[in-house]
Amino acid sequence: MEREAAAHLPVLVDEVTFLLRPRRGGWVVDGTIGMGGHAERLLEAGGADTRLLGIDNDPEALECAGRRLARFGDRVRLHKGSFGDVGAHASLAGVSRAAAVLLDLGMSSYQLDASGRGFSFLKDEPLDMRFDPTRGRTAADLLKDATEAELARILFEYGEERHARRIAKHIVERRRRSPLTVTADLVAAVKAGVPRAAWSRRTHVATRTFQALRMAVNDEPEALLNALDAAPALLERGGRLGVISFHSGEDRAVKRAFRALKTRGFAELEPSPVVPCDDEIHGNPRARSAKLRVLERLEAA
């Protein structure tokens, strides 16, 4: 238990706890519960009258969250599924109104380092990338079947990769010789497609490509749009929705959705997102791109 908790450092956990903790008890809905780090802190801060519904597509993450949160007993309910279906999961759990809803769109350290599903370019693993390894097509399937134009679109739209067309071309050329089945195959295609002079000194050259393929495999952009449509309706008066995003495309979607709700009795707490401090980034470099936006319901539904 302690090893699992230590393996995952929830980003912006102090800020999330301060901004989203229920002041008068009630339901917290964690649509992407992961390893349960944020959920644990919110349950502690909210007190005995706070209950939590945790949702995640990753069955291994749910098992870990269940162990981590076991001490809270029947105050916790865990559902397997997509955060895009947050409204349906809330209904099934009997949650009509929530004091807080949280969506952390990042990966857990466990998924990157120990899941064996090819989320990280630092290990040679099968190109799976599914949060739920029992359903849907894998990243290897996508790389085998997608056209060059479709691959380029995915890399550009989801990864904001400037060399998307060149990388897509090299992926197609390589798969003609043999399928791309492990992470090393994909890394080699990316390195061949990006001019050496364009490699970043701060991040691995394949970072954006791996991000884009993971998002496509798990249909994350569509899930985010669905969640941003459903989650605000769950909030009670004074309830807050927090979303932690990790790249500009996600943050733009959150920003647009929040601003569109201004005329419907909602308000964003701050015009600019909350970002990690230098100390947090030093202790957890993966937090460096995190941005937290928080929406509050001002009027009763």
Side-chain angles (χ1 to χ4, degrees), residues 62-216:
L62 278 178
E63 287 181 13
C64 179
R67 290 190 293 271
R68 186 170 192 161
L69 304 176
R71 63 189 173 96
F72 297 103
D74 61 7
R75 291 170 58 194
V76 174
R77 295 187 186 181
L78 300 179
H79 284 197
K80 181 177 177 296
S82 169
F83 67 93
D85 299 320
V86 62
H89 284 287
S91 179
L92 285 172
V95 181
S96 59
R97 287 286 176 264
V101 178
L102 173 64
L103 303 174
D104 176 358
L105 307 181
M107 299 281 295
S108 74
S109 296
Y110 167 79
Q111 288 169 322
L112 288 166
D113 298 335
S115 71
R117 289 182 234 156
F119 290 115
S120 173
F121 39 74
L122 298 178
K123 294 185 177 183
D124 197 15
E125 299 174 340
L127 279 168
D128 188 316
M129 294 194 185
R130 292 172 297 174
F131 291 145
D132 181 354
T134 68
R135 299 180 58 189
R137 64 177 179 172
T138 66
D141 294 332
L142 189 156
L143 292 170
K144 175 174 65 72
D145 298 332
T147 65
E148 183 176 328
E150 178 67 5
L151 287 169
R153 182 193 66 79
I154 289 170
L155 299 185
F156 182 75
E157 289 187 10
Y158 299 166
E160 300 182 315
E161 173 56 67
R162 291 188 299 127
H163 302 282
R165 290 182 180 178
R166 290 172 58 97
I167 295 171
K169 179 181 178 181
H170 280 273
I171 289 173
V172 171
E173 288 177 353
R174 284 175 176 268
R175 78 185 184 192
R176 291 195 184 109
R177 300 193 295 269
S178 62
L180 285 74
T181 59
V182 295
T183 53
D185 297 332
L186 181 55
V187 170
V190 174
K191 287 182 174 179
V194 180
R196 187 65 179 85
W199 292 17
S200 171
R201 294 182 179 180
R202 292 184 57 200
T203 58
H204 193 284
V205 67
T207 298
R208 294 177 181 272
T209 294
F210 271 69
Q211 169 189 289
L213 289 177
R214 185 207 81 216
M215 292 176 66

Side-chain angles (χ1 to χ4, degrees), residues 27-31 51-55 77-79 89-90 93 95:
W27 280 99
V28 172
V29 179
D30 190 337
R51 305 181 69 185
L52 182 128
L53 168 63
I55 305 164
R77 295 187 186 181
L78 300 179
H79 284 197
H89 284 287
V95 181

Side-chain angles (χ1 to χ4, degrees), residues 9-50:
L9 299 174
V11 301
L12 294 165
V13 66
D14 291 333
E15 293 83 354
V16 165
T17 304
F18 177 74
L19 292 170
L20 297 187
R21 71 184 190 280
R23 272 63 176 176
R24 298 177 299 277
W27 280 99
V28 172
V29 179
D30 190 337
T32 49
I33 195 168
M35 308 292 280
H38 289 116
E40 181 178 44
R41 288 285 297 273
L42 288 168
L43 283 164
E44 289 173 343
D49 292 331
T50 298

Side-chain angles (χ1 to χ4, degrees), residues 268-279:
E268 193 169 0
L269 291 191
E270 298 289 343
S272 299
V274 178
V275 298
C277 65
D278 291 341
D279 286 345

